[in-house]
Amino acid sequence: MIQQFMFEALSLNGAFLIKPFIAQDERGYFIKDYSKELFEAHGIEHNLQEVFYTHSHKGVIRAIHFQIYRQQAKLVRCLTGKVYDVIVDLRKDSRTYGKWLGFYLSEENNHSLYVPEGFGHGYLVLEPSIVSYQCAEKFYAPYDTGILWNDKDLAIEWPLHLVDGIILSNKDKNLPSFKEYDSKDEM
């Protein structure tokens, strides 16, 4: 079985749900989840700078993270396990500013999510998972921040019924609200 790349433009301008190239046979499968040429043909300028992975336990919430300066566009894929992945448009000049979308990413569906610059990104881990981030900008700790995962104004509908409890880092427990972010002149 061979599945070609498929790009689905999302309602948050610049974001895409991507089904990668997969060749599968009796040995297993081969996946290509990034091709500069194919991405550019679909209007995505993603100049890969850095790749990293997270390993997370079931119930972990990685809140809505982003870099205030030196923003990171990223291609996110769940390599093992399953997550509920959320993106939030934080571009103050966008018609979809403050809107969010959620997607199930898993090793079964192999979908990738292209998260453009100016977006926040987070996820709820539904099974022990390893998530890959292919970033178009390097990580800069001094610019790293986020928004509370349960912010009442964003009103993200996390599927919490699928986990027994949540695990948050101290950093994620103390992030600003969307209103606090909105009141600043950043991004």
mmCIF file of all heavy atoms in Angstrom, residues 111-146:
data_model
loop_
_atom_site.group_PDB
_atom_site.id
_atom_site.type_symbol
_atom_site.label_atom_id
_atom_site.label_comp_id
_atom_site.label_asym_id
_atom_site.label_seq_id
_atom_site.Cartn_x
_atom_site.Cartn_y
_atom_site.Cartn_z
ATOM 1 N N HIS A 111 -0.836 11.279 11.153
ATOM 2 C CA HIS A 111 -1.055 12.633 10.686
ATOM 3 C C HIS A 111 -0.051 13.578 11.322
ATOM 4 O O HIS A 111 0.369 13.387 12.465
ATOM 5 C CB HIS A 111 -2.463 13.115 11.022
ATOM 6 C CG HIS A 111 -3.533 12.378 10.300
ATOM 7 N ND1 HIS A 111 -4.865 12.551 10.574
ATOM 8 C CD2 HIS A 111 -3.488 11.452 9.313
ATOM 9 C CE1 HIS A 111 -5.589 11.775 9.800
ATOM 10 N NE2 HIS A 111 -4.777 11.097 9.029
ATOM 11 N N SER A 112 0.309 14.597 10.570
ATOM 12 C CA SER A 112 1.145 15.680 11.073
ATOM 13 C C SER A 112 0.312 16.944 11.101
ATOM 14 O O SER A 112 -0.639 17.094 10.334
ATOM 15 C CB SER A 112 2.353 15.908 10.159
ATOM 16 O OG SER A 112 3.206 14.801 10.149
ATOM 17 N N LEU A 113 0.695 17.847 11.966
ATOM 18 C CA LEU A 113 0.030 19.135 12.056
ATOM 19 C C LEU A 113 1.077 20.206 11.799
ATOM 20 O O LEU A 113 2.111 20.239 12.475
ATOM 21 C CB LEU A 113 -0.580 19.294 13.450
ATOM 22 C CG LEU A 113 -1.549 20.420 13.680
ATOM 23 C CD1 LEU A 113 -2.724 20.374 12.715
ATOM 24 C CD2 LEU A 113 -2.059 20.376 15.105
ATOM 25 N N TYR A 114 0.825 21.045 10.779
ATOM 26 C CA TYR A 114 1.723 22.162 10.528
ATOM 27 C C TYR A 114 1.191 23.359 11.297
ATOM 28 O O TYR A 114 0.082 23.824 11.054
ATOM 29 C CB TYR A 114 1.830 22.492 9.034
ATOM 30 C CG TYR A 114 2.748 23.658 8.811
ATOM 31 C CD1 TYR A 114 4.126 23.507 8.960
ATOM 32 C CD2 TYR A 114 2.251 24.913 8.501
ATOM 33 C CE1 TYR A 114 4.977 24.584 8.803
ATOM 34 C CE2 TYR A 114 3.101 25.989 8.337
ATOM 35 C CZ TYR A 114 4.466 25.826 8.491
ATOM 36 O OH TYR A 114 5.306 26.897 8.336
ATOM 37 N N VAL A 115 1.999 23.842 12.240
ATOM 38 C CA VAL A 115 1.639 24.951 13.123
ATOM 39 C C VAL A 115 2.465 26.157 12.691
ATOM 40 O O VAL A 115 3.686 26.177 12.882
ATOM 41 C CB VAL A 115 1.937 24.591 14.595
ATOM 42 C CG1 VAL A 115 1.465 25.694 15.526
ATOM 43 C CG2 VAL A 115 1.321 23.247 14.973
ATOM 44 N N PRO A 116 1.838 27.181 12.099
ATOM 45 C CA PRO A 116 2.616 28.319 11.613
ATOM 46 C C PRO A 116 3.127 29.218 12.737
ATOM 47 O O PRO A 116 2.694 29.110 13.890
ATOM 48 C CB PRO A 116 1.622 29.103 10.742
ATOM 49 C CG PRO A 116 0.321 28.432 10.839
ATOM 50 C CD PRO A 116 0.427 27.279 11.777
ATOM 51 N N GLU A 117 4.031 30.118 12.380
ATOM 52 C CA GLU A 117 4.478 31.149 13.313
ATOM 53 C C GLU A 117 3.262 31.905 13.822
ATOM 54 O O GLU A 117 2.275 32.083 13.101
ATOM 55 C CB GLU A 117 5.407 32.142 12.620
ATOM 56 C CG GLU A 117 6.742 31.587 12.244
ATOM 57 C CD GLU A 117 7.596 32.619 11.527
ATOM 58 O OE1 GLU A 117 7.212 33.806 11.441
ATOM 59 O OE2 GLU A 117 8.665 32.223 11.044
ATOM 60 N N GLY A 118 3.325 32.359 15.065
ATOM 61 C CA GLY A 118 2.234 33.141 15.625
ATOM 62 C C GLY A 118 1.117 32.312 16.230
ATOM 63 O O GLY A 118 0.081 32.848 16.605
ATOM 64 N N PHE A 119 1.313 31.008 16.319
ATOM 65 C CA PHE A 119 0.323 30.119 16.918
ATOM 66 C C PHE A 119 0.850 29.580 18.242
ATOM 67 O O PHE A 119 2.052 29.386 18.406
ATOM 68 C CB PHE A 119 0.044 28.916 16.018
ATOM 69 C CG PHE A 119 -0.974 29.168 14.945
ATOM 70 C CD1 PHE A 119 -0.781 30.145 13.985
ATOM 71 C CD2 PHE A 119 -2.135 28.417 14.891
ATOM 72 C CE1 PHE A 119 -1.714 30.371 12.995
ATOM 73 C CE2 PHE A 119 -3.083 28.636 13.901
ATOM 74 C CZ PHE A 119 -2.876 29.612 12.951
ATOM 75 N N GLY A 120 -0.061 29.323 19.176
ATOM 76 C CA GLY A 120 0.253 28.564 20.367
ATOM 77 C C GLY A 120 -0.048 27.105 20.085
ATOM 78 O O GLY A 120 -0.882 26.777 19.228
ATOM 79 N N HIS A 121 0.618 26.218 20.811
ATOM 80 C CA HIS A 121 0.459 24.790 20.575
ATOM 81 C C HIS A 121 0.556 24.035 21.897
ATOM 82 O O HIS A 121 1.397 24.346 22.737
ATOM 83 C CB HIS A 121 1.574 24.309 19.625
ATOM 84 C CG HIS A 121 1.634 22.833 19.502
ATOM 85 N ND1 HIS A 121 2.571 22.063 20.176
ATOM 86 C CD2 HIS A 121 0.874 21.970 18.801
ATOM 87 C CE1 HIS A 121 2.378 20.795 19.869
ATOM 88 N NE2 HIS A 121 1.359 20.703 19.048
ATOM 89 N N GLY A 122 -0.326 23.045 22.081
ATOM 90 C CA GLY A 122 -0.276 22.196 23.255
ATOM 91 C C GLY A 122 -0.997 20.890 22.987
ATOM 92 O O GLY A 122 -1.615 20.727 21.938
ATOM 93 N N TYR A 123 -0.928 19.975 23.957
ATOM 94 C CA TYR A 123 -1.656 18.715 23.782
ATOM 95 C C TYR A 123 -1.878 18.007 25.096
ATOM 96 O O TYR A 123 -1.197 18.246 26.083
ATOM 97 C CB TYR A 123 -0.972 17.782 22.780
ATOM 98 C CG TYR A 123 0.478 17.473 23.028
ATOM 99 C CD1 TYR A 123 0.863 16.425 23.849
ATOM 100 C CD2 TYR A 123 1.470 18.214 22.400
ATOM 101 C CE1 TYR A 123 2.196 16.125 24.048
ATOM 102 C CE2 TYR A 123 2.810 17.923 22.591
ATOM 103 C CZ TYR A 123 3.168 16.876 23.421
ATOM 104 O OH TYR A 123 4.494 16.586 23.614
ATOM 105 N N LEU A 124 -2.892 17.134 25.066
ATOM 106 C CA LEU A 124 -3.229 16.224 26.155
ATOM 107 C C LEU A 124 -2.814 14.829 25.717
ATOM 108 O O LEU A 124 -3.197 14.368 24.631
ATOM 109 C CB LEU A 124 -4.737 16.258 26.433
ATOM 110 C CG LEU A 124 -5.295 15.163 27.359
ATOM 111 C CD1 LEU A 124 -4.723 15.279 28.765
ATOM 112 C CD2 LEU A 124 -6.824 15.226 27.389
ATOM 113 N N VAL A 125 -2.054 14.141 26.561
ATOM 114 C CA VAL A 125 -1.556 12.806 26.235
ATOM 115 C C VAL A 125 -2.602 11.771 26.649
ATOM 116 O O VAL A 125 -2.964 11.664 27.819
ATOM 117 C CB VAL A 125 -0.210 12.547 26.932
ATOM 118 C CG1 VAL A 125 0.303 11.160 26.598
ATOM 119 C CG2 VAL A 125 0.803 13.610 26.538
ATOM 120 N N LEU A 126 -3.088 11.011 25.668
ATOM 121 C CA LEU A 126 -4.140 10.023 25.896
ATOM 122 C C LEU A 126 -3.584 8.619 26.100
ATOM 123 O O LEU A 126 -4.266 7.755 26.651
ATOM 124 C CB LEU A 126 -5.124 10.031 24.728
ATOM 125 C CG LEU A 126 -5.773 11.407 24.469
ATOM 126 C CD1 LEU A 126 -6.605 11.366 23.204
ATOM 127 C CD2 LEU A 126 -6.589 11.836 25.665
ATOM 128 N N GLU A 127 -2.372 8.380 25.631
ATOM 129 C CA GLU A 127 -1.625 7.139 25.837
ATOM 130 C C GLU A 127 -0.163 7.556 25.974
ATOM 131 O O GLU A 127 0.218 8.591 25.424
ATOM 132 C CB GLU A 127 -1.738 6.216 24.608
ATOM 133 C CG GLU A 127 -3.121 5.749 24.283
ATOM 134 C CD GLU A 127 -3.167 4.967 22.957
ATOM 135 O OE1 GLU A 127 -2.109 4.744 22.326
ATOM 136 O OE2 GLU A 127 -4.276 4.607 22.561
ATOM 137 N N PRO A 128 0.665 6.787 26.671
ATOM 138 C CA PRO A 128 2.085 7.155 26.706
ATOM 139 C C PRO A 128 2.563 7.425 25.274
ATOM 140 O O PRO A 128 2.295 6.621 24.370
ATOM 141 C CB PRO A 128 2.756 5.925 27.317
ATOM 142 C CG PRO A 128 1.677 5.298 28.157
ATOM 143 C CD PRO A 128 0.398 5.535 27.394
ATOM 144 N N SER A 129 3.237 8.560 25.079
ATOM 145 C CA SER A 129 3.494 9.025 23.715
ATOM 146 C C SER A 129 4.869 9.639 23.541
ATOM 147 O O SER A 129 5.432 10.216 24.476
ATOM 148 C CB SER A 129 2.459 10.088 23.322
ATOM 149 O OG SER A 129 1.162 9.554 23.311
ATOM 150 N N ILE A 130 5.356 9.546 22.316
ATOM 151 C CA ILE A 130 6.518 10.304 21.869
ATOM 152 C C ILE A 130 6.038 11.188 20.727
ATOM 153 O O ILE A 130 5.449 10.704 19.761
ATOM 154 C CB ILE A 130 7.665 9.385 21.406
ATOM 155 C CG1 ILE A 130 8.166 8.535 22.578
ATOM 156 C CG2 ILE A 130 8.805 10.218 20.805
ATOM 157 C CD1 ILE A 130 9.204 7.500 22.206
ATOM 158 N N VAL A 131 6.286 12.490 20.867
ATOM 159 C CA VAL A 131 5.857 13.469 19.870
ATOM 160 C C VAL A 131 7.092 14.131 19.273
ATOM 161 O O VAL A 131 8.013 14.519 20.004
ATOM 162 C CB VAL A 131 4.918 14.519 20.496
ATOM 163 C CG1 VAL A 131 4.570 15.615 19.497
ATOM 164 C CG2 VAL A 131 3.638 13.847 21.006
ATOM 165 N N SER A 132 7.113 14.244 17.958
ATOM 166 C CA SER A 132 8.202 14.867 17.222
ATOM 167 C C SER A 132 7.824 16.296 16.849
ATOM 168 O O SER A 132 6.698 16.554 16.410
ATOM 169 C CB SER A 132 8.460 14.061 15.939
ATOM 170 O OG SER A 132 9.233 14.794 15.019
ATOM 171 N N TYR A 133 8.778 17.206 17.028
ATOM 172 C CA TYR A 133 8.631 18.604 16.613
ATOM 173 C C TYR A 133 9.740 18.899 15.605
ATOM 174 O O TYR A 133 10.920 18.794 15.951
ATOM 175 C CB TYR A 133 8.842 19.566 17.774
ATOM 176 C CG TYR A 133 7.881 19.497 18.912
ATOM 177 C CD1 TYR A 133 7.907 18.453 19.830
ATOM 178 C CD2 TYR A 133 6.967 20.523 19.112
ATOM 179 C CE1 TYR A 133 7.040 18.417 20.910
ATOM 180 C CE2 TYR A 133 6.096 20.501 20.188
ATOM 181 C CZ TYR A 133 6.146 19.447 21.076
ATOM 182 O OH TYR A 133 5.292 19.425 22.145
ATOM 183 N N GLN A 134 9.382 19.277 14.389
ATOM 184 C CA GLN A 134 10.346 19.692 13.386
ATOM 185 C C GLN A 134 10.168 21.202 13.214
ATOM 186 O O GLN A 134 9.200 21.645 12.606
ATOM 187 C CB GLN A 134 10.117 18.943 12.081
ATOM 188 C CG GLN A 134 10.290 17.440 12.242
ATOM 189 C CD GLN A 134 10.004 16.693 10.957
ATOM 190 O OE1 GLN A 134 10.136 17.226 9.862
ATOM 191 N NE2 GLN A 134 9.608 15.433 11.084
ATOM 192 N N CYS A 135 11.087 21.962 13.764
ATOM 193 C CA CYS A 135 10.911 23.415 13.901
ATOM 194 C C CYS A 135 11.691 24.208 12.860
ATOM 195 O O CYS A 135 12.829 23.868 12.534
ATOM 196 C CB CYS A 135 11.332 23.855 15.297
ATOM 197 S SG CYS A 135 10.388 23.040 16.597
ATOM 198 N N ALA A 136 11.087 25.295 12.401
ATOM 199 C CA ALA A 136 11.718 26.189 11.436
ATOM 200 C C ALA A 136 12.495 27.308 12.129
ATOM 201 O O ALA A 136 13.036 28.178 11.462
ATOM 202 C CB ALA A 136 10.675 26.777 10.486
ATOM 203 N N GLU A 137 12.530 27.291 13.447
ATOM 204 C CA GLU A 137 13.331 28.227 14.237
ATOM 205 C C GLU A 137 13.829 27.467 15.455
ATOM 206 O O GLU A 137 13.174 26.543 15.928
ATOM 207 C CB GLU A 137 12.496 29.437 14.661
ATOM 208 C CG GLU A 137 13.226 30.483 15.491
ATOM 209 C CD GLU A 137 14.460 31.054 14.836
ATOM 210 O OE1 GLU A 137 14.328 32.010 14.064
ATOM 211 O OE2 GLU A 137 15.574 30.526 15.081
ATOM 212 N N LYS A 138 14.968 27.874 15.954
ATOM 213 C CA LYS A 138 15.524 27.225 17.137
ATOM 214 C C LYS A 138 14.735 27.614 18.378
ATOM 215 O O LYS A 138 14.046 28.627 18.404
ATOM 216 C CB LYS A 138 16.986 27.616 17.302
ATOM 217 C CG LYS A 138 17.855 27.087 16.193
ATOM 218 C CD LYS A 138 19.280 27.516 16.376
ATOM 219 C CE LYS A 138 20.101 27.029 15.199
ATOM 220 N NZ LYS A 138 21.465 27.523 15.261
ATOM 221 N N PHE A 139 14.852 26.781 19.404
ATOM 222 C CA PHE A 139 14.232 27.068 20.689
ATOM 223 C C PHE A 139 15.099 28.076 21.447
ATOM 224 O O PHE A 139 16.316 27.899 21.563
ATOM 225 C CB PHE A 139 14.086 25.786 21.516
ATOM 226 C CG PHE A 139 13.558 26.028 22.899
ATOM 227 C CD1 PHE A 139 12.213 26.287 23.103
ATOM 228 C CD2 PHE A 139 14.412 26.021 23.989
ATOM 229 C CE1 PHE A 139 11.726 26.523 24.382
ATOM 230 C CE2 PHE A 139 13.932 26.251 25.271
ATOM 231 C CZ PHE A 139 12.589 26.508 25.456
ATOM 232 N N TYR A 140 14.456 29.130 21.952
ATOM 233 C CA TYR A 140 15.127 30.142 22.755
ATOM 234 C C TYR A 140 14.381 30.259 24.078
ATOM 235 O O TYR A 140 13.282 30.831 24.135
ATOM 236 C CB TYR A 140 15.136 31.496 22.040
ATOM 237 C CG TYR A 140 15.991 31.498 20.797
ATOM 238 C CD1 TYR A 140 15.436 31.242 19.551
ATOM 239 C CD2 TYR A 140 17.357 31.735 20.894
ATOM 240 C CE1 TYR A 140 16.227 31.232 18.413
ATOM 241 C CE2 TYR A 140 18.154 31.728 19.751
ATOM 242 C CZ TYR A 140 17.589 31.475 18.520
ATOM 243 O OH TYR A 140 18.371 31.456 17.397
ATOM 244 N N ALA A 141 14.956 29.707 25.137
ATOM 245 C CA ALA A 141 14.311 29.682 26.452
ATOM 246 C C ALA A 141 13.853 31.060 26.932
ATOM 247 O O ALA A 141 12.762 31.167 27.493
ATOM 248 C CB ALA A 141 15.225 29.025 27.483
ATOM 249 N N PRO A 142 14.618 32.140 26.729
ATOM 250 C CA PRO A 142 14.153 33.444 27.232
ATOM 251 C C PRO A 142 12.853 33.938 26.572
ATOM 252 O O PRO A 142 12.149 34.763 27.136
ATOM 253 C CB PRO A 142 15.305 34.395 26.900
ATOM 254 C CG PRO A 142 16.493 33.536 26.681
ATOM 255 C CD PRO A 142 15.969 32.223 26.177
ATOM 256 N N TYR A 143 12.532 33.436 25.378
ATOM 257 C CA TYR A 143 11.328 33.866 24.662
ATOM 258 C C TYR A 143 10.168 32.900 24.825
ATOM 259 O O TYR A 143 9.064 33.138 24.338
ATOM 260 C CB TYR A 143 11.616 34.023 23.167
ATOM 261 C CG TYR A 143 12.778 34.930 22.852
ATOM 262 C CD1 TYR A 143 13.638 34.632 21.805
ATOM 263 C CD2 TYR A 143 13.037 36.079 23.595
ATOM 264 C CE1 TYR A 143 14.705 35.448 21.498
ATOM 265 C CE2 TYR A 143 14.103 36.907 23.293
ATOM 266 C CZ TYR A 143 14.937 36.584 22.250
ATOM 267 O OH TYR A 143 15.995 37.396 21.948
ATOM 268 N N ASP A 144 10.416 31.775 25.489
ATOM 269 C CA ASP A 144 9.407 30.731 25.641
ATOM 270 C C ASP A 144 8.375 31.126 26.698
ATOM 271 O O ASP A 144 8.722 31.521 27.808
ATOM 272 C CB ASP A 144 10.090 29.427 26.053
ATOM 273 C CG ASP A 144 9.121 28.272 26.153
ATOM 274 O OD1 ASP A 144 8.313 28.083 25.222
ATOM 275 O OD2 ASP A 144 9.164 27.549 27.165
ATOM 276 N N THR A 145 7.108 31.027 26.339
ATOM 277 C CA THR A 145 6.020 31.321 27.266
ATOM 278 C C THR A 145 4.793 30.512 26.842
ATOM 279 O O THR A 145 4.893 29.590 26.045
ATOM 280 C CB THR A 145 5.719 32.836 27.338
ATOM 281 O OG1 THR A 145 4.791 33.071 28.406
ATOM 282 C CG2 THR A 145 5.167 33.372 26.031
ATOM 283 N N GLY A 146 3.650 30.878 27.369
ATOM 284 C CA GLY A 146 2.435 30.156 27.006
ATOM 285 C C GLY A 146 1.209 30.781 27.628
ATOM 286 O O GLY A 146 1.264 31.867 28.217
#
